[in-house]
Amino acid sequence: MNEIREGRVGEPKIVVVDYHKGNLSSVVRGLARAGAAAFASDDPEQIRNADGLVIPGVGAFYDAIAFMREGGEGAAVLDAVAAGTPLLGICLGLQLFFERGNEGVPVDEGVPADGGAPEQAGGPWVDGLGIMRGSCTRLESSRLKVPHVGWDQVHMTSAGAADPLLAGFAEGANMYFTHSYAVADDADAADVLARTHYTRSFPCIVRHGNVWGCQFHPEKSSALGQRILKNFVNIVEEAGR
């Protein structure tokens, strides 16, 4: 079911992509507080026609991408991105931007790991949206607890410090994480705006053109997380001018 909010004149229409894996209301509310006419939808045409898009972080890589492909949401997202629509991914939403992941993939449905995959990742793999180069793999540690849950530091690259999504964001700020998988070290360095160090150093904020992603949950990260949502709404407004 779509959760539609009527916005005031001039508010950008931001669709939170609903792939039927959880409650998206906290993301919708955060975007509304940031000045957007925000609502959740699984309708490919609403996705294509939005001023901005958010893919939230709920569920497992395989289940999410399978639903998005079957329902036409994945193609609609790619069409919107190609047309210049700003897109923000949160947690799993960020991971889906990459070429492949191995979370929750049935053995008989994935493809074997090939020579281009990180050695530690194994398989089988399922293709992601392919907006950014790289893989998403499980965090592994004999010392630290996985999943990675709680507040952790975000360390910006020079590109991140200059990016509009991170305007007013402090180097080393703590944001709220909850995940067992993360982008591996085969991501393009040019796409990485920030990193977090937990079991390994992984990209926690990425950007490729008009596509941004946060591994942490801005909607659960207090005032600084709300600032990121507001910055994204500003980006959407600028793109529409």
Side-chain angles (χ1 to χ4, degrees), residues 13-95:
K13 183 178 70 174
I14 297 182
V15 172
V16 178
V17 178
D18 182 3
Y19 44 86
H20 295 202
K21 293 299 177 184
N23 184 358
L24 312 182
S25 59
S26 60
V27 177
V28 172
R29 286 195 301 269
L31 291 165
R33 286 194 299 270
F39 61 94
S41 178
D42 59 7
D43 182 342
E45 287 312 302
Q46 289 188 330
I47 292 169
R48 285 188 178 90
N49 294 324
D51 298 320
L53 295 171
V54 174
I55 301 181
V58 183
F61 194 110
Y62 174 81
D63 291 339
I65 200 66
F67 184 92
M68 290 178 68
R69 290 215 166 96
E70 183 176 348
E73 294 175 313
V77 166
L78 292 175
D79 288 347
V81 167
T85 303
L87 168 62
L88 175 66
I90 295 173
C91 194
L92 174 61
L94 170 152
Q95 296 172 22

Side-chain angles (χ1 to χ4, degrees), residues 97-100 116 130-135 183-189 191 208:
F97 294 161
F98 287 82
E99 292 174 303
R100 59 194 168 190
I131 296 169
M132 301 184 196
R133 191 178 73 84
S135 310
V183 180
D185 59 7
D186 56 348
D188 279 338
D191 292 338
H208 188 87

